[in-house]
Every structure is written in structure tokens, then in C-alpha cells.
Amino acid sequence: MTSSPSVATSPETTVSELQRIASQIRRDIVRQVHGCQSGHPGGSLGCADYFTALYFHVLRHDPAKWDMDGKEQDLFFLSNGHISPAWYSTLARSGYFPVKELATFRKLNSRLQGHPTTHEGLPGVRMASGSLGQGLSVGIGAALAKKLNGDGKLVYTLHGDGELQEGQIWEAAMYAAGNKVDNLISTVDYNGRQIDGDVDDVLPLGDLKAKWLAFGWDVLETNGNDMDALLKTFATAKSRTGKGKPVMILMRTEMGQGVDFMMNSHAWHGIAPNDEQLASALSQLEETLGDY
Amino acid sequence: MSSYPILDQKDTRSGFGAGLLELGRSNPNVVGLCADLTGSLKMDAFQKEFPERFFQIGIAEANMMGIAAGLTIGGKIPFTGTFANFSTGRVYDQIRQSIAYAGKNVKICASHAGLTLGEDGATHQILEDIGLMRMLPGMTVIVPCDYNQTRQATIAIAAHEGPVYLRFGRPKWPVFIPNELPFQIGKAQRLIEGSDVSIFACGHLVWRALQAAEELKKNGVSAEVINVHTIKPLDLDAVLASVGKTGCAVTCEEHNRYGGLGDAIAQALATHKPAPQEYVAVNDSFGESGTPDQLLQKYGLDVPDIVKAVGRVMKRK
């Protein structure tokens, strides 16, 4: 296939269909990072299933009606902006912008900056991120605006586990629970790895579930690389909104999921595959929607 | 000052509080956020009248900036309130990424700026904030000079689309700007017309500049006093027209001599119309505890310092 029509979102999309979309998103990720020889494939691959489930099944959104305010739409904020290749692919495949634009990732004059930004007017992106720890506060603000506007839709945020080392996260955690921001579903990509090594070696997070519970959040746990489990967890999370507590999903993933030589290590957090490695990666990922 | 009689003695932060309350009544999208300094920022009247539009964030300024940025998504116009130090230096990266780079319509309102904060001392007396905010692309920087102008500026920035840094202070200070004098973002105000020297001032030092002009007049020096309430974008036309006439400039600010109003004027002059300039500013140091008057005197920001700077700069013409 040489071209790929955007995929319409549908609540009836099945697990197997979602898995096929996720496979294409993984191809897009490694091809984007290879194309500019920079970027962060590891966490992007690990979160491909999350993005697929969120954008093709969970979010109530209309890419054709995208605007900054997003009134009466569910909103998503990526706090760990370095996994932008996964988000860009998801946005393009959902119809926010042409899929062929993925070829411009991290290149001069592109809307697809290394880290996401509103600055270049890319549809689907409502906040700049990259400097870590800021997205939870932003999500809370957007959730508060929804409440003020009488808008019953939800706000979703995604964070890295290493990102939780930033103090602002815990300021925001305290605020959201203390002020009953219960239209917010946040997720931590709990892959246990960061640039310098395993999170437990760099700066241990301790008992993460106990911490979020102690901060007053409703906490769910799931396997972020099991599509069926993800869908069930999102359904549970949605059912827990509106009950006085923000909802946290601790999502276990494997960094580099889907590409064997990128898994089980932090090594592929932020480096690009060469031509040979690209070929190997693509041989492991079925082209389901047509490469850009 | 015959042309600018003292109308009252009020703190500029109360001008902010009054302006915010008026905005609350006229614009339902205006929301307030404060990091445990509601009384100090004079946001309590807004909080009382619009509790659903006021967010007590607690002592967590980074979170406040992020929440403010998020609130703009959905059409709110957030006004954050805390001390100038905690409004800028403490949260520079949050402002840079989530507000300035993201182009969010947040109004960062900062009280207790400069030396005139007084007795709390150097930890709280930020003298670098104008420079920090000026350097951010797209940020508008406003330093009003009295209660009336702070009230006007607070109302004006709500109608301005884009991030704004509004800097004001703690002490009671002469009120001398007539309410009828219109405030326009980016438009400097020539308060006294003169021909020998241009004195550019902002914030509390505008009153000191007016006093200095009166002293200079007694000595036969005709000083033009220009209130540069908007430091970015700078009113280039006003600066060049005045210095084109007088041939020299003195800049007065409650800020380090690096990065503030003086540097903004110097850059304008160096680029377009080179002319001698003298700085009345803090000489690259931190402050200390004391009363506002004592501190302005000790750190060289008082009326005699402006008069002396005029003497120096006129000899360089």
C-alpha cells in the first residue's frame, strides 16, 4: 500500500482491529525516528497500545471539528512530550492531519517538532510539553475550565514514570484530590526505565500505588500492552469519574514493545535505529494501514 | 508637583485588586488563582464575590502556572497572583513552556516587586523579574506607576490576547495619575514636557522622577519625564522622539541595572539613535531589610540620585 486513508474512530472497534492500528503506529514510530536519526522510540513503542485505545475507542472527539478550546470534546495532554512519535502517528491516523506529514518529524520547518508544541499550529495539540512534570497541572486547569463551562466531557493525561521525580507532579496530585477534580483520568507509563537506566537505580519511586492512594486518588492498575485489559481499565476509569476523586491508571508497559531488540533495556529510550535495525524492526511489525 | 498633585496614598496592589473585582463583574471568563497570598495580593474581594471563579492553589506556584495555562483551554482568562519573586524566578520554566511558548492567554500578576517590598529583605525583593519576562518571546511586560494606573492596567490586560506580566508593589505610594488619563498598552506617557534631558521611568520611580524634575527645574534644567509603563513592547516612537529632542536619557527603575527598563531603552537608542544614557537602578546587587524610603536611598534610587544622573548625562552630550 502506498497511501493510507485516515481511520474513523468508532466505539465498536474491536480488540483485533485496534491491535492492527497499533501495529501501524509502531511502524510509523520507528520510521519517523529513523527518518531524522533522532527521537525517542522506546517509550513511544511502549505506549502505542495506550494511544490506539484512547484515540480509536475511548476519546469522544471529532478531529474534523478540532479547535483549541475543545468544548464538548474529551481532551488529551501528553506530559512526557518526548514520546511525540507515538502521538503524532496516532493523531495523523485519526484524521487530525495528513499521514504523509509524519515524514517531516523533527525536520526544519515542520509542524512535528521534536517535542509537541502549539507554536506551529498542529491540529490535535493543545499544549507544549517536553520539559517534564507540567502536564498534570495543565490537565487540571483544563478540567476546571470544563467544570466552569458545564462541559461534562473528560480530560486525559499521560506521564512517564521517571517524570514523577519532578516535584510539580506532586503539587498537582495534591491539588486535584484536595479540590475533587473528578473529571480527570491520568495515566503513568510505568515501564520502570528512564534515560540513565532503571528508575529504581536512578531514583526509586517507592510504592507508587500507595503514594497516589495516599494523595487521595482513585488508583487502577493495568497492563498497557494488553489491548483487552486496556479497554476494560479505561471503561472502569470512566465509570469512576464524577465521584469526587481524580483517577490514576498505573499502566505497566515494556519500553520498546513490539521490536525485540529494543525491549528489556533502557538503551532505546532516545536513540534512532540505523538502516539495518529499521529493516529488522519493520519485519516484526505488520503494515496494516499503509506506510506514509 | 503642581501639575501632578498627590490625590491619595494607596498601594498599587490594591489597584490590582480593584481592577480584578471590576473585571469579575464585567467579564465572566476572568478567573483568579492565588498561591496562599490572597490578602497580600488584594484578591480577597474577588474571591468573596466570585468564589466559583477563584482557585486557591496553596503554596505551589509551579502548579498554579500550569493550571492557569490549562484554564485558557476552554476560554478562561486566568489572573495568577503571588509575589513577583514567586511569579517569575521560581516558575520560569513553567511560564516559558506552558504559557509563553504555548501562547496561552495567562495574566501573571506580581506584587511586592523590587526594593520597596521593604522589611522582608532580599529573598523576596526580586530585582531581576523584568529582565526574565522581557526575554520571553511574546510576553508583554507592564509596570504601572500608581494605584490608578495599576487598576487601569489590570482591566486593560484582560482585553489583550496573549501572555502578560503585570508588576506592582506593596507600599502605600502617591496616587497622581488622573483617572481620566487613558492607559494604552505599549503607549508611553509624557508626563512633563522638557528639552534638556529625557527621564524614562517605570513603577514607583515615576513619582521620584517627577520630584526630580521639579528639583531640576529650580536649577534651570528642563527635564522631560516619560512614564514607560509598558516595557515590552517598548514605545519606540516615544523614546526616539524625546531623545531626538533632548539628546540624552536617564532611566529609572526598581530593578537590577541589567535586563530592565534601562537596557530596553539603551537597546533602542544604540540601534536607532545613539545618545548618552545614565542608569538609576540597583547596581548588580541583592537588596536587604529596611523601609522602602531607606532602601531607595541606600541603593541609589532616590530623587538626588536622579538629579545627579541628569547632571552626569548632560555633560556627556
Side-chain angles (χ1 to χ4, degrees):
Chain A
M1 284 185 278
T2 55
S3 67
S4 54
S6 298
V7 179
T9 55
S10 159
E12 290 80 33
T13 318
T14 64
V15 167
S16 64
E17 285 173 301
L18 291 169
Q19 287 167 333
R20 287 174 58 78
I21 296 169
S23 179
Q24 185 66 51
I25 288 174
R26 287 193 162 93
R27 286 182 70 89
D28 290 348
I29 290 166
V30 291
R31 293 185 71 238
Q32 285 174 83
V33 174
H34 173 264
C36 61
Q37 282 299 295
S38 71
H40 299 78
S44 299
L45 289 166
C47 289
D49 303 306
Y50 168 90
F51 278 107
T52 305
L54 186 68
Y55 273 79
F56 292 89
H57 190 85
V58 177
L59 280 186
R60 294 162 293 183
H61 65 137
D62 183 351
K65 291 183 183 168
W66 187 86
D67 68 12
M68 184 55 76
D69 280 345
K71 288 180 180 169
E72 298 299 336
Q73 307 260 320
D74 286 339
L75 304 182
F76 169 73
F77 294 98
L78 179 65
S79 191
N80 49 331
H82 57 275
I83 65 166
S84 56
W87 193 22
Y88 291 153
S89 169
T90 305
L91 287 172
R93 300 281 173 186
S94 312
Y96 279 92
F97 57 85
V99 171
K100 65 178 186 319
E101 200 168 338
L102 294 175
T104 70
F105 175 62
R106 282 185 173 240
K107 292 178 179 169
L108 193 64
N109 301 320
S110 173
R111 299 195 292 181
L112 278 58
Q113 292 290 297
H115 295 83
T117 177
T118 57
H119 204 256
E120 315 298 333
L122 186 68
V125 179
R126 294 188 168 88
M127 176 52 63
S129 62
S131 175
L132 295 170
Q134 301 186 28
L136 188 53
S137 305
V138 172
I140 290 167
L144 293 173
K146 284 212 176 292
K147 284 181 179 256
L148 284 173
N149 289 335
D151 176 345
K153 294 294 191 295
L154 299 173
V155 174
Y156 293 81
T157 65
L158 178 62
H159 311 267
D161 49 1
E163 182 184 9
L164 304 185
Q165 292 158 357
E166 292 281 6
Q168 186 181 346
I169 289 284
W170 302 100
E171 294 182 3
M174 207 183 316
Y175 183 92
N179 291 278
K180 299 183 170 53
V181 183
D182 58 3
N183 52 345
L184 175 67
I185 299 175
S186 295
T187 299
V188 169
D189 175 19
Y190 203 178
N191 61 21
R193 306 189 200 282
Q194 57 190 109
I195 300 183
D196 271 0
D198 288 351
V199 174
D200 280 343
D201 292 331
V202 175
L203 181 62
L205 298 172
D207 187 338
L208 208 46
K209 183 179 183 185
K211 282 182 175 166
W212 286 98
L213 286 170
F215 272 78
W217 286 57
D218 194 352
V219 182
L220 305 173
E221 293 175 285
T222 196
N223 179 347
N225 296 131
D226 178 336
M227 191 62 77
D228 190 46
L230 261 178
L231 296 186
K232 285 174 178 154
T233 304
F234 273 127
T236 304
K238 282 176 83 161
S239 74
R240 302 277 188 92
T241 58
K243 299 188 189 311
K245 287 184 174 185
V247 179
M248 169 55 68
I249 301 172
L250 296 178
M251 180 179 77
R252 286 284 183 182
T253 68
E254 179 60 51
M255 188 179 269
Q257 176 70 30
V259 177
D260 55 9
F261 62 87
M262 292 188 180
M263 295 167 66
N264 304 310
S265 162
H266 68 274
W268 288 87
H269 173 97
I271 60 169
N274 61 27
D275 292 351
E276 191 182 336
Q277 289 162 331
L278 174 69
S280 169
L282 293 179
S283 74
Q284 301 171 46
L285 300 166
E286 186 187 352
E287 181 181 354
T288 53
L289 301 174
D291 287 340
Y292 61 83
Chain B
M1 225 30 249
S2 54
S3 50
Y4 292 94
I6 295 178
L7 307 170
D8 205 343
Q9 295 277 347
K10 285 183 174 179
D11 45 357
T12 50
R13 57 185 164 145
S14 286
F16 165 67
L20 187 64
L21 183 61
E22 287 180 50
L23 280 174
R25 291 169 180 164
S26 64
N27 188 336
N29 283 325
V30 167
V31 299
L33 299 85
C34 191
D36 195 33
L37 288 169
T38 309
S40 295
L41 267 287
K42 304 296 181 187
M43 297 174 88
D44 27 13
F46 180 93
Q47 178 185 24
K48 191 175 172 195
E49 195 162 322
F50 306 103
E52 75 289 353
R53 286 197 267 147
F54 179 81
F55 301 97
Q56 171 59 267
I57 304 295
I59 309 167
E61 295 82 6
N63 190 40
M64 177 164 73
M65 293 305 168
I67 290 178
L71 276 161
T72 66
I73 300 165
K76 302 304 158 195
I77 306 172
F79 282 63
T80 67
T82 184
F83 291 169
N85 187 23
F86 314 138
S87 293
T88 57
R90 188 177 182 94
V91 290
Y92 194 71
D93 187 51
Q94 283 77 18
I95 295 174
R96 181 178 181 275
Q97 174 170 286
S98 293
I99 296 175
Y101 183 45
K104 298 305 181 194
N105 193 25
V106 176
K107 315 305 171 187
I108 302 162
C109 303
S111 184
H112 293 53
L115 290 172
T116 53
L117 157 67
E119 293 80 353
D120 276 345
T123 53
H124 289 50
Q125 292 161 337
I126 193 163
L127 300 168
E128 310 92 47
D129 54 325
I130 295 174
L132 287 170
M133 293 297 109
R134 260 184 79 218
M135 283 194 293
L136 288 171
M139 182 68 73
T140 294
V141 179
I142 300 176
V143 186
C145 64
D146 75 349
Y147 172 96
N148 285 346
Q149 187 158 84
T150 307
R151 185 187 138 275
Q152 290 177 320
T154 302
I155 293 167
I157 62 176
H160 170 88
E161 179 70 30
V164 174
Y165 180 59
L166 181 68
R167 182 201 214 226
F168 43 91
R170 174 176 181 268
K172 284 193 162 58
W173 209 253
V175 182
F176 57 95
I177 293 287
N179 273 318
E180 308 77 62
L181 186 65
F183 176 87
Q184 193 183 336
I185 295 171
K187 191 79 184 156
Q189 296 170 327
R190 187 173 64 187
L191 298 179
I192 296 178
E193 195 172 350
S195 55
D196 295 330
V197 60
S198 303
I199 303 178
F200 299 103
C202 64
H204 290 137
L205 291 200
V206 174
W207 178 250
R208 289 291 197 266
L210 290 173
Q211 291 176 293
E214 192 71 3
E215 287 295 309
L216 289 161
K217 194 174 169 186
K218 292 175 192 164
N219 304 334
V221 175
S222 169
E224 181 146 297
V225 177
I226 297 184
N227 173 21
V228 189
H229 53 66
T230 305
I231 296 174
K232 185 183 176 184
L234 187 67
D235 188 346
L236 195 59
D237 290 344
V239 172
L240 298 183
S242 180
V243 176
K245 178 176 62 178
T246 64
C248 62
V250 169
T251 53
C252 313
E253 61 194 313
E254 209 184 323
H255 190 270
N256 195 352
R257 60 187 286 115
Y258 298 115
L261 171 69
D263 277 2
I265 300 283
Q267 186 176 50
L269 295 179
T271 308
H272 299 279
K273 193 185 292 287
Q277 176 183 343
E278 290 286 333
Y279 284 63
V280 174
V282 175
N283 189 19
D284 201 24
S285 76
F286 293 100
E288 65 180 89
S289 294
T291 67
D293 284 345
Q294 288 171 336
L295 290 164
L296 292 185
Q297 191 177 9
K298 176 166 178 176
Y299 286 82
L301 308 182
D302 212 346
V303 174
D305 304 296
I306 300 172
V307 170
K308 283 180 206 158
V310 167
R312 289 196 304 272
V313 82
M314 285 182 60
K315 284 181 195 154
R316 293 171 52 204
K317 278 210 269 188

